[in-house]
Amino acid sequence: MRCAAVQPNMPSMGVVPRLDLITQINEIDRSYCCRRGGRRRGAPIPMPPLADGGADLEHFTAFVMHHVLGHLSQRGYRLPTQKWDVAGVCFQHLHIMLLLGAGSGLPASDAARQPPGHHVIRDLLGGGPALQALLYILGPGFADLTSVRTQVDLVTSREAAVLAALRVLHTALTMDLDFVADLSRVNMHDRHQPLHVRLAQPSTLVTLLQYVCYSDSIDIQVASLQLMSILSQRLPNIVEILIQAAPDLTAAVDIQRGVASALRQGLAHAQAIDSVEELRGAGEFLAHLQPYDVHITAGGDAQRLCTRSKEQSSRQHRAPLHVLPWPPVPLPPPPLPPPVPLPWNLQLAALQDPCSDPRASLILQLLMDSCSSPGAGPGRATLCQLLMGYEVEADQGGVSGCSLAPHREYSCLTVVERALVTGGVSLSQSKPRLYSQMLSLLYRLACHLTSGGPMLDWLSPNCTDVVRGMRPILLGPLPSHEQPQDLAASLRQRASILQIQALLLLKLEHPDSLCDLLSDFFATVDPSSSAPASGSNNMDSESSGSPNRSVALDLLELSCCCLQPPACRQLHEVGGDERRLWQDMAVAEVSVESLLSDPRVMAAAGVQLRAEGGELQLYDIGALYPLLRERYEVYVARTGGALARAGSTGPDPAAAAITSALQFATSYNAHTLVSSAQRALVQAWVRVVEVSFCLRYPQLASVLLGCQAECLHELLLRCLQVCKQLLSLPDGPLPQLLANASRLLLSKLQEQAVVQLLELLAGVTVASRRTLEVRVQLYAAMLQYLQYCRGSKLCNSPRVVLASILEGWGSSPSALADLDTTQESIEQGNASILAEHGPALVALIAVDALNVSSPALQQAVALHLVGALVAADARVGVAAAAHAHGVPQQLLQLLASVPQAAVIQHSRKARRAMYVIEAQLSLLLRLTEAGPVRQRTASAQKVQALQAIPILGACRALDLEPESIHGNNLTSSSDSLRSRLPHVIAPTLRLLLSVLASLPESAAVRNDAAGFVLLHYRVLERLLREAGSSATATWSPGPQELEQAELAVQLLCKLVPCFATAELPVEVSDPLLLAVYQLLQVFGTLSPASSSPLVAFAFGGGIGGGRYGRAASQRQLTNGGRYSMGGDTDMAGASENGNGTGALALTDGRSGNASGEENGLTVTSSSRDHSAARQAVASSILALRLGLITFLSDLAMLGGEGGSASKQGKGEPRLLLRAVGTGSSPLLDPTTSRPTLMLVRDMSHQAVADAAAALDDLAVSLRRLRQPQQPAAAGAPAALQRTLQRAGAADRQLGRALSVLETGLSVTVLHFLRCVPRPSGGGAVQGTLVRVGAGAGTPNRGGVSSTAWLEDALGGNGNGSGGAGAGFNPTAEDAAKLGNRQELAFLRSRLQDTVLCVEDLLGQELSGLGEHSLGGVDLLARTLKGYVMME
């Protein structure tokens, strides 16, 4: 049979009568088979080239399957070994035919000639005689084979037959899926099921898998493991099938112990193959044909695999492998580093060694592949869990939640634990890839949903010493670059250890275990104990040998600084001559260059090798080498060696080109392996740092004894330094990972704003000009740093609040000044660094900020960063650089050309475009306000010189009309146009206000602003109208509406002089004035009488209207959005003569959180959130009230000719308010639609109540802050933070309430001074009602005292004589302009109540007043009292 299979390849083989062969096989002398068996066990006979997949042997293959194997079990034999010899030879023949037909496509019709391998696979799929013979030989199982181990001849024959049968099944399983798919495509009626379906019978499956228990033959165990690997992927329910075969789990336990034993023997083997990839691809075929010189060609759709004997090769003048004109190991041309020796990835070298043992690598890869089978459900056990010793439930095939016990039950976990604990550093260095596989296996099991819990419990330091015992491996030496696989495996060992530690830190809750893990990673080590990496002499002198270094720092430098991967030459760097030779060396139009660069050709030729679980693609040197050799021979035969004989004395250029190709492939493989391992290590390092500083910060503080801030700072600095060093090297993923880690560490830096960080960040950012991903992370990190440098919430608190909390901490009286000094030094240090690096930063960041093709997030971050740099630079160098690079000009051009489609579209892209527009406007605002206060005018003039206001007025996005508030299709999602427009309107109004405030005397700026209002007055009118609207079924006003209305009112305040001229025509000014008056009617009245749902919410009730019931609303108003709120109806108010007036709520009432916590009451988190929302709304309402009353005041101060009424004296005012009604006084004059004096009185009276409530709450908060603090108390930091927030909110609300009160009183007093005769005598306005200085009032936004006109009118002494006040000589006719006697009397009676409330406010304890002054309120109240008390 063997002779017939390898007979010479004749031109015409001739027909061999079937009867003769059958007769010979049946009647031949029995000793013939014995002699054939002996010949088989000797040297194999060379096989000639077999064309078309061995199609000439189709008849003989059919004979073997049907007549030899078909009657194998029925034929008698003289010796028992003869049956096994015949079976082994037949199976070898089938195996060879399968391999020959592996690359051949299926013919279009059944009549076409097919390779014999197709007949073999078809027979196996159909359950024919070949499959029956295979199962017959394998059926007795490993136990029967073990029983004859003492019979040497018989056991040898049986082992050979079993091994050949297992290899046939394995090869068929690698081909059956593609063959079945092709078969169904060619012939729809000829359908077969894959082979694993026939092998999935419980008894058959157990028999095949149990051969792994046969320890006398490594080859049989390897073949069984290969079958097990494929079947575990094909059969998700493989564990259930094993349980069906033996419900008592005996079969499963046998397989579990057999695999564990094979793993132990494989790990202990001296020449264990350290990588499973060495058994894949063409290497496996080479192992079975060791004596042959293998030659692989790829052409057309078929891949032909031919063999030639060495004698035949020599007859064809073909040099053997060791005498080729190029060395097997390519020599490195300078200046490239020494290349990796070729055999490290050449499977032939490993597989031709008969002593090699791949069992351990195969088992570990099997366990990792089957760890999370795609078809296995959450409750279904996987083969990996069974083999690792998880307790499998016999009835359902699931995994129980019991803990792992490797010491009681022998399994693969037992072997892994012993190898990790006892092997330690020696095993990690001698077999680094196997050690890495074991660690990766543990990590995958710990991450799995089902197996993660028991594995994490077992890995916990309080259960086993596996994790803690790996610290020497983290700090141990590394292999050199000449061993790239070992180097990559060593790096991945450390990566897996860190991944396990990060997972344990994330999941475990055991305090001692967490502290142990954190201590191992962050504790300091002796520098002499950590050995440097082998061959790494470029260690930073600054970092090497420094004392008190932690494992975290050592690992960071180990992975990034000392272990740069070898330089990998790119294809475009290959010289022109070599490149042309690569293109000329081609076979079947497939050149050398295509084999190295074209993915499609590489896949078809089989030169791609996947490593590390398929995540890496490498060159298969074992498959690439013969292909390159073939192209060299064809090229030399075609050119006749002309190139070598052309007078050149050097080496053959063609051989040099092939050498260069091999060198490129090996260098690429080495670079890919090492760089991917480095990336994995850095990723794992970042994970540990993230979990430690974000989730386990309290435990880290206890481990580091309060030095966690210093550790954080050290890690951050070193991380940035390493990132900067890596940016000088070719592009890679490590800088991006480290930049992301730096941003994370910077977010936890808290109060430690160190100037050194900004200089380092600037240097790293400038160095990252070639890597966009790294730049974006660094932009975010620098933006975070600049935000921290603006000061913490504590330092930004009012000084009275800050002084109180420092007093509670027992700080010295100079502590407040020390904080100011520290903040000033940080700002000066940042300014000095920006003076040096600012221009380079702006030049780099501006490119990303103005690139419209960049992602929106990158643009927004870059724009905000430029704005932050401008704000942090007190020397205006950054702003000057921005103007030098044309940043504001380009921003204005982009804003003017904003298409309306960018705002109208309901998509995420449109929403992100709005964020970019908002960032652009914010940057323009920063440029307008660049520098200190004294330079604001110059900065604003630079921006205005670019025609900023006219260009912004041309923006078409401002005039878009949002969805109607009464429509049914209005949604509160962020994709609606109504939610996106504020990102354009609000920043635009802020920019206009900033320019107007910086250039208050510029008539050109005011004219441009008036032109803006003329173009967009309908937008302003809509903003004012919607802020005062009631809630509908699908909408209610919120903080966004309040903010936009406030900005619109402030803009109108700046343009008050234009209302008296033709700059704002009547058709524009009248709708705006009417909208302001209606808004005054809503927000100017007493809080209980307001129709606004916002006032009802801040006052203490629910939002009424529509589907938002007043008692229980479905939305809660917070900063920037609308959310559900509770139905708290507590009101902090004052009651005067039965007419209730409620103060805007700062907390949950006057006896809310502040007093409640002080009295020991329990305050829930929901009530705190509710209180914070009410504070925000109340503050916004007060800001809007202040703008409205200021607008009225400015109109009242404006004379009829556009000048100041207080200075002109006799000038008719633009706005004259009247006192209308004597009972229920209307808030708007029915004849003019203007506000009445009663409305101004109500605003003043409400402001008194708001100021009193804020003062009381501020006093309570300050008293609590002054108490001695007890940081050790549970919940003390959170309670202190809430008290600090309440104090700050109370202080802000007090300032705004006093401003509203003072401005409202000034409007009333101004009307009385103009129209009401002066009270007789002057005593009514004399005296002092306040115990603080009664000089200057609260400054307004222009910097002038709001009561300066009153002091001027009263002659500066409060008695009404002399001075400019002599110009006010009102008569009874003037008084009639305000109203009749009854109306004025009613107004005076109401004002008396207000004056009395002001006196009560001024008579309170004002220790918490802080920087707020009541001098103006005192002067106005005394003046007003003289008018309201006269008869």
Side-chain angles (χ1 to χ4, degrees):
M1 286 179 54
R2 184 71 177 181
C3 293
V6 296
Q7 58 184 320
N9 186 17
M10 302 296 182
S12 178
M13 193 170 190
V15 179
V16 180
R18 180 184 302 177
L19 181 59
D20 295 340
L21 287 175
I22 297 175
T23 303
Q24 292 179 25
I25 197 65
N26 289 330
E27 298 181 359
I28 199 167
D29 180 66
R30 296 294 183 256
S31 62
Y32 178 78
C33 294
C34 184
R35 290 194 298 271
R36 297 306 98 206
R39 182 63 180 272
R40 179 189 60 79
R41 291 190 292 271
I45 300 176
M47 180 182 293
L50 300 178
D52 299 328
D56 292 337
L57 296 179
E58 178 182 359
H59 69 287
F60 187 75
T61 302
F63 164 75
V64 170
M65 290 191 300
H66 296 288
H67 296 279
V68 180
L69 294 179
H71 305 284
L72 183 66
S73 59
Q74 302 173 2
R75 185 175 294 108
Y77 301 93
R78 178 178 300 176
L79 299 175
T81 59
Q82 294 175 354
K83 177 179 66 174
W84 305 101
D85 290 338
V86 171
V89 172
C90 292
F91 292 156
Q92 288 182 10
H93 175 80
L94 297 183
H95 188 208
I96 294 175
M97 294 300 105
L98 287 174
L99 292 174
L100 291 174
S104 303
L106 198 65
S109 63
D110 293 339
R113 195 176 184 185
Q114 298 183 10
H118 290 182
H119 295 287
V120 176
I121 189 67
R122 190 190 293 263
D123 181 272
L124 296 177
L125 294 177
L131 180 62
Q132 298 298 327
L134 288 170
L135 298 181
Y136 169 74
I137 293 298
L138 297 173
F142 89 98
D144 188 70
L145 184 60
T146 305
S147 63
V148 297
R149 66 174 63 183
T150 57
Q151 306 176 28
V152 179
D153 293 338
L154 180 59
V155 74
T156 302
S157 301
R158 292 190 62 173
E159 285 179 355
V162 168
L163 177 60
L166 292 174
R167 285 176 174 174
V168 169
L169 291 178
H170 173 256
T171 305
L173 284 171
T174 61
M175 301 168 50
D176 61 337
L177 294 181
D178 294 336
F179 186 82
V180 169
D182 292 343
L183 198 62
S184 301
R185 176 177 49 84
V186 174
N187 189 352
M188 298 182 59
H189 300 286
D190 191 359
R191 295 183 177 274
H192 291 82
Q193 289 183 332
L195 180 59
H196 68 270
V197 178
R198 294 190 174 273
L199 301 180
Q201 300 297 326
S203 58
T204 303
L205 184 64
V206 168
T207 301
L208 294 177
L209 300 187
Q210 281 184 339
Y211 275 104
V212 75
C213 303
Y214 187 71
S215 58
D216 292 342
S217 174
I218 296 178
D219 293 335
I220 291 179
Q221 287 185 313
V222 168
S224 179
L225 288 171
Q226 291 173 340
L227 275 179
M228 191 182 301
S229 178
I230 296 180
L231 292 175
S232 65
Q233 298 297 319
R234 301 273 189 94
L235 301 172
N237 61 334
I238 187 171
V239 177
E240 299 178 9
I241 297 176
L242 295 178
I243 295 176
Q244 293 176 10
D248 56 352
L249 299 180
T250 54
V253 171
D254 289 342
I255 295 174
Q256 172 184 311
R257 295 177 178 176
V259 174
S261 177
L263 177 61
R264 179 183 59 80
Q265 297 171 5
L267 290 173
H269 200 281
Q271 299 185 16
I273 292 181
D274 213 6
S275 177
V276 74
E277 282 78 16
E278 296 176 355
L279 291 178
R280 295 183 177 175
E284 182 178 359
F285 180 61
L286 299 182
H288 305 152
L289 302 176
Q290 298 171 9
Y292 302 134
D293 183 15
V294 177
H295 191 56
I296 304 175
T297 61
D301 296 331
Q303 176 177 347
R304 299 178 179 86
L305 203 153
C306 308
T307 59
R308 297 185 178 94
S309 65
K310 294 183 180 180
E311 296 179 0
Q312 187 177 3
S313 298
S314 61
R315 289 195 300 269
Q316 296 177 357
H317 307 286
R318 178 177 177 184
L321 183 63
H322 61 278
V323 294
L324 286 176
W326 63 88
V329 181
L331 298 177
L336 292 177
V340 179
L342 186 61
W344 72 266
N345 195 32
L346 187 60
Q347 290 91 340
L348 183 62
L351 291 170
Q352 284 185 344
D353 184 4
C355 299
S356 60
D357 187 357
R359 288 177 294 177
S361 184
L362 282 173
I363 292 173
L364 292 174
Q365 191 64 43
L366 165 66
L367 294 173
M368 287 190 290
D369 292 342
S370 61
C371 178
S372 57
S373 180
R380 176 177 290 176
T382 62
L383 183 62
C384 175
Q385 295 168 358
L386 172 66
L387 299 179
M388 290 294 289
Y390 283 83
E391 185 174 349
V392 178
E393 298 176 353
D395 52 348
Q396 298 178 355
V399 177
S400 65
C402 299
S403 60
L404 294 172
H407 298 287
R408 295 196 307 265
E409 299 179 3
Y410 187 72
S411 64
C412 291
L413 183 59
T414 308
V415 180
V416 169
E417 181 189 25
R418 292 176 182 175
L420 296 177
V421 174
T422 61
V425 178
S426 61
L427 183 62
S428 66
Q429 294 177 355
S430 61
K431 298 180 175 63
R433 282 164 280 174
L434 292 178
Y435 201 89
S436 175
Q437 282 181 303
M438 287 188 286
L439 293 175
S440 179
L441 171 63
L442 295 181
Y443 174 70
R444 292 193 184 187
L445 285 172
C447 292
H448 194 263
L449 180 63
T450 305
S451 60
M455 179 56 66
L456 287 174
D457 293 338
W458 179 74
L459 287 172
S460 176
N462 63 338
C463 181
T464 182
D465 294 332
V466 171
V467 176
R468 296 205 63 184
M470 295 177 184
R471 182 172 180 177
I473 298 174
L474 293 175
L475 303 176
L478 289 168
S480 63
H481 288 298
E482 283 134 15
Q483 299 172 338
Q485 275 193 328
D486 293 343
L487 177 59
S490 297
L491 292 174
R492 288 192 177 273
Q493 290 175 13
R494 291 156 174 81
S496 298
I497 294 173
L498 295 185
Q499 286 175 333
I500 294 173
Q501 289 186 356
L503 195 59
L504 290 172
L505 289 173
L506 181 66
K507 297 292 186 181
L508 290 183
E509 297 297 337
H510 192 266
D512 295 338
S513 299
L514 293 175
C515 292
D516 290 342
L517 292 172
L518 292 172
S519 176
D520 287 343
F521 190 71
F522 292 101
T524 57
V525 298
D526 186 6
S528 60
S529 64
S530 58
S534 176
S536 60
N537 51 8
N538 58 347
M539 176 81 74
D540 227 353
S541 60
E542 176 185 2
S543 59
S544 61
S546 58
N548 298 328
R549 297 187 52 79
S550 64
V551 177
L553 286 175
D554 284 342
L555 282 176
L556 177 61
E557 296 178 358
L558 191 70
S559 60
C560 298
C561 296
C562 311
L563 295 173
Q564 288 306 311
C568 177
R569 189 171 55 156
Q570 302 296 325
L571 282 176
H572 60 81
E573 300 176 0
V574 178
D577 295 337
E578 285 187 6
R579 196 73 175 266
R580 282 189 293 272
L581 283 174
W582 285 3
Q583 295 172 357
D584 292 341
M585 294 182 182
V587 173
E589 300 181 357
V590 178
S591 63
V592 172
E593 184 179 16
S594 300
L595 288 174
L596 297 177
S597 60
D598 192 339
R600 182 182 56 83
V601 175
M602 294 168 62
V607 297
Q608 284 183 336
L609 180 68
R610 292 191 174 272
E612 302 301 337
E615 63 183 49
L616 298 181
Q617 286 190 357
L618 306 176
Y619 289 104
D620 189 343
I621 306 297
L624 180 64
Y625 179 79
L627 293 175
L628 296 178
R629 177 172 178 173
E630 180 189 18
R631 278 148 183 78
Y632 169 79
E633 293 175 350
V634 172
Y635 178 78
V636 171
R638 186 174 69 247
T639 60
L643 293 176
R645 296 192 303 269
S648 175
T649 59
D652 185 1
I658 297 299
T659 302
S660 177
L662 286 172
Q663 183 182 12
F664 168 79
T666 55
S667 175
Y668 173 85
N669 286 356
H671 174 83
T672 303
L673 283 172
V674 176
S675 60
S676 65
Q678 284 179 301
R679 181 174 65 251
L681 178 56
V682 175
Q683 286 176 341
W685 185 87
V686 171
R687 290 179 186 176
V688 176
V689 172
E690 286 179 353
V691 177
S692 301
F693 284 98
C694 294
L695 185 63
R696 303 302 180 186
Y697 199 73
Q699 291 83 357
L700 184 62
S702 63
V703 169
L704 298 179
L705 302 178
C707 299
Q708 68 275 11
E710 290 77 5
C711 177
L712 172 64
H713 180 242
E714 186 179 7
L715 280 177
L716 176 58
L717 287 178
R718 191 55 190 159
C719 195
L720 288 173
Q721 292 171 0
V722 172
C723 184
K724 185 177 180 180
Q725 295 173 8
L726 292 178
L727 286 171
S728 62
L729 301 172
D731 296 340
L734 299 184
Q736 181 181 357
L737 294 173
L738 293 177
N740 188 21
S742 302
R743 180 180 59 82
L744 173 71
L745 292 173
L746 193 59
S747 66
K748 302 298 294 184
L749 194 60
Q750 298 178 354
E751 310 303 328
Q752 300 181 9
V754 184
V755 178
Q756 182 184 4
L757 286 176
L758 180 59
E759 185 175 9
L760 188 55
L761 279 171
V764 178
T765 303
V766 173
S768 66
R769 63 176 61 91
R770 296 179 303 174
T771 311
L772 177 61
E773 295 78 7
V774 179
R775 286 204 309 273
V776 173
Q777 297 290 345
L778 293 173
Y779 289 167
M782 189 179 300
L783 188 59
Q784 287 177 338
Y785 172 82
L786 294 174
Q787 289 175 348
Y788 298 148
C789 290
R790 294 168 57 186
S792 64
K793 295 180 180 179
L794 177 63
C795 295
N796 290 331
S797 302
R799 297 188 66 84
V800 62
V801 178
L802 192 56
S804 300
I805 193 172
L806 290 176
E807 180 182 349
W809 286 346
S811 303
S812 61
S814 62
L816 189 58
D818 294 340
L819 286 177
D820 294 338
T821 303
T822 302
Q823 182 67 25
E824 184 179 358
S825 64
I826 291 176
E827 293 175 356
Q828 291 177 356
N830 290 339
S832 62
I833 292 176
L834 291 178
E836 178 183 357
H837 299 280
L841 284 174
V842 171
L844 176 64
I845 304 172
V847 176
D848 295 328
L850 302 175
N851 187 6
V852 295
S853 61
S854 298
L857 177 61
Q858 298 178 6
Q859 282 185 265
V861 172
L863 289 166
H864 284 300
L865 178 56
V866 176
L869 292 174
V870 171
D873 184 18
R875 305 179 185 179
V876 204
V878 176
H883 282 281
H885 289 85
V887 173
Q889 296 93 321
Q890 298 183 54
L891 289 178
L892 290 172
Q893 293 175 4
L894 292 174
L895 290 171
S897 60
V898 172
Q900 293 186 348
V903 188
I904 296 176
Q905 294 177 356
H906 293 267
S907 64
R908 182 180 301 177
K909 183 178 181 181
R911 186 169 70 250
R912 292 176 176 175
M914 299 312 305
Y915 297 153
V916 174
I917 296 174
E918 185 179 23
Q920 293 171 347
L921 291 168
S922 176
L923 177 54
L924 286 174
L925 178 61
R926 295 285 193 182
L927 291 172
T928 304
E929 300 174 348
V933 178
R934 62 180 180 274
Q935 296 183 2
R936 297 286 174 83
T937 301
S939 300
Q941 286 176 347
K942 288 184 179 180
V943 176
Q944 179 57 23
L946 303 174
Q947 299 297 314
I949 296 180
I951 292 177
L952 291 177
C955 182
R956 294 175 294 174
L958 295 172
D959 294 323
L960 291 174
E961 190 70 21
E963 300 89 350
S964 174
I965 61 176
H966 302 285
N968 296 326
N969 58 346
L970 181 62
T971 61
S972 60
S973 65
S974 57
D975 289 332
S976 63
L977 180 59
R978 179 170 291 278
S979 64
R980 292 198 300 269
L981 278 179
H983 295 285
V984 180
I985 296 175
T988 303
L989 295 179
R990 291 193 199 98
L991 181 57
L992 263 67
L993 289 171
S994 178
V995 176
L996 288 169
S998 301
L999 303 171
E1001 303 298 332
S1002 175
V1005 174
R1006 187 168 60 249
N1007 292 336
D1008 289 343
F1012 179 89
V1013 173
L1014 187 63
L1015 291 173
H1016 305 289
Y1017 75 95
R1018 295 187 184 278
V1019 177
L1020 301 177
E1021 181 187 2
R1022 177 181 62 82
L1023 298 179
L1024 298 172
R1025 184 178 65 253
E1026 290 179 351
S1029 300
S1030 301
T1032 64
T1034 57
W1035 176 88
S1036 67
Q1040 275 189 345
E1041 284 75 15
L1042 288 176
E1043 180 190 14
Q1044 294 179 94
E1046 178 194 354
L1047 294 172
V1049 171
Q1050 290 180 11
L1051 178 60
L1052 296 181
C1053 290
K1054 298 293 183 182
L1055 301 178
V1056 164
C1058 299
F1059 283 88
T1061 63
E1063 293 180 88
L1064 287 179
V1066 177
E1067 58 271 15
V1068 175
S1069 60
D1070 285 353
L1072 292 176
L1073 287 174
L1074 181 60
V1076 173
Y1077 297 158
Q1078 291 176 349
L1079 197 61
L1080 271 166
Q1081 184 181 12
V1082 175
F1083 290 98
T1085 184
L1086 299 177
S1087 294
S1090 176
S1091 61
S1092 173
L1094 294 168
V1095 176
F1097 172 67
F1099 180 64
I1103 299 178
R1107 60 188 178 92
Y1108 304 91
R1110 184 173 291 272
S1113 169
Q1114 298 299 320
R1115 294 192 289 179
Q1116 175 187 5
L1117 293 149
T1118 57
N1119 190 15
R1122 308 168 181 80
Y1123 307 91
S1124 63
M1125 69 161 208
D1128 189 359
T1129 57
D1130 294 340
M1131 297 189 300
S1135 177
E1136 37 107 14
N1137 297 330
N1139 195 6
T1141 172
L1144 288 172
L1146 286 174
T1147 61
D1148 287 338
R1150 293 287 295 274
S1151 59
N1153 289 350
S1155 59
E1157 291 184 1
E1158 187 177 8
N1159 297 329
L1161 300 179
T1162 301
V1163 182
T1164 62
S1165 59
S1166 60
S1167 63
R1168 292 171 186 147
D1169 297 340
H1170 184 65
S1171 173
R1174 295 175 65 186
Q1175 289 177 15
V1177 175
S1179 181
S1180 300
I1181 291 175
L1182 278 176
L1184 179 57
R1185 283 180 177 174
L1186 179 58
L1188 291 171
I1189 195 63
T1190 303
F1191 181 74
L1192 285 182
S1193 176
D1194 292 343
L1195 282 178
M1197 297 284 292
L1198 184 66
E1201 299 177 2
S1204 175
S1206 62
K1207 293 182 179 180
Q1208 291 180 0
K1210 297 181 181 180
E1212 180 67 23
R1214 173 70 175 174
L1215 177 68
L1216 183 63
L1217 306 182
R1218 299 176 63 242
V1220 181
T1222 57
S1224 56
S1225 176
L1227 301 178
L1228 295 182
D1229 192 337
T1231 59
T1232 61
S1233 297
R1234 295 176 179 175
T1236 63
L1237 288 175
M1238 185 59 68
L1239 177 59
V1240 178
R1241 177 264 167 194
D1242 287 350
M1243 292 187 71
S1244 303
H1245 198 87
Q1246 183 64 52
V1248 176
D1250 295 338
L1255 191 60
D1256 290 348
D1257 193 81
L1258 180 60
V1260 172
S1261 299
L1262 294 180
R1263 186 165 57 251
R1264 181 175 177 82
L1265 291 175
R1266 292 191 185 101
Q1267 295 176 356
Q1269 304 297 326
Q1270 299 177 0
L1280 181 62
Q1281 183 178 4
R1282 291 192 298 271
T1283 305
L1284 185 64
Q1285 292 175 352
R1286 282 195 299 272
D1291 184 81
R1292 289 190 298 272
Q1293 190 156 337
L1294 175 61
R1296 290 178 178 177
L1298 290 176
S1299 299
V1300 173
L1301 174 61
E1302 185 173 324
T1303 309
L1305 292 177
S1306 67
V1307 172
T1308 305
V1309 170
L1310 179 61
H1311 279 73
F1312 276 94
L1313 285 175
R1314 284 175 174 172
C1315 301
V1316 179
R1318 193 69 58 85
S1320 60
V1325 297
Q1326 295 179 1
T1328 302
L1329 298 176
V1330 66
R1331 290 190 291 271
V1332 297
T1338 304
N1340 59 14
R1341 291 181 299 274
V1344 182
S1345 174
S1346 61
T1347 58
W1349 62 270
L1350 180 58
E1351 295 174 0
D1352 184 41
L1354 297 177
N1357 54 13
N1359 58 12
S1361 62
F1368 286 125
N1369 296 311
T1371 62
E1373 295 179 356
D1374 294 329
K1377 296 178 182 180
L1378 296 182
N1380 55 37
R1381 295 179 60 87
Q1382 292 80 8
E1383 292 172 337
L1384 290 178
F1386 180 74
L1387 177 62
R1388 288 194 185 99
S1389 65
R1390 306 299 291 168
L1391 286 173
Q1392 289 177 7
D1393 300 331
T1394 303
V1395 172
L1396 292 176
C1397 290
V1398 173
E1399 291 178 354
D1400 293 340
L1401 176 65
L1402 298 176
Q1404 293 182 11
E1405 177 64 33
L1406 302 178
S1407 59
L1409 197 60
E1411 299 177 353
H1412 307 295
S1413 174
L1414 293 179
V1417 176
D1418 179 28
L1419 179 60
L1420 290 168
R1422 287 187 287 113
T1423 304
L1424 184 60
K1425 185 176 182 180
Y1427 282 99
V1428 300
M1429 295 300 181
M1430 70 179 183
E1431 298 180 356

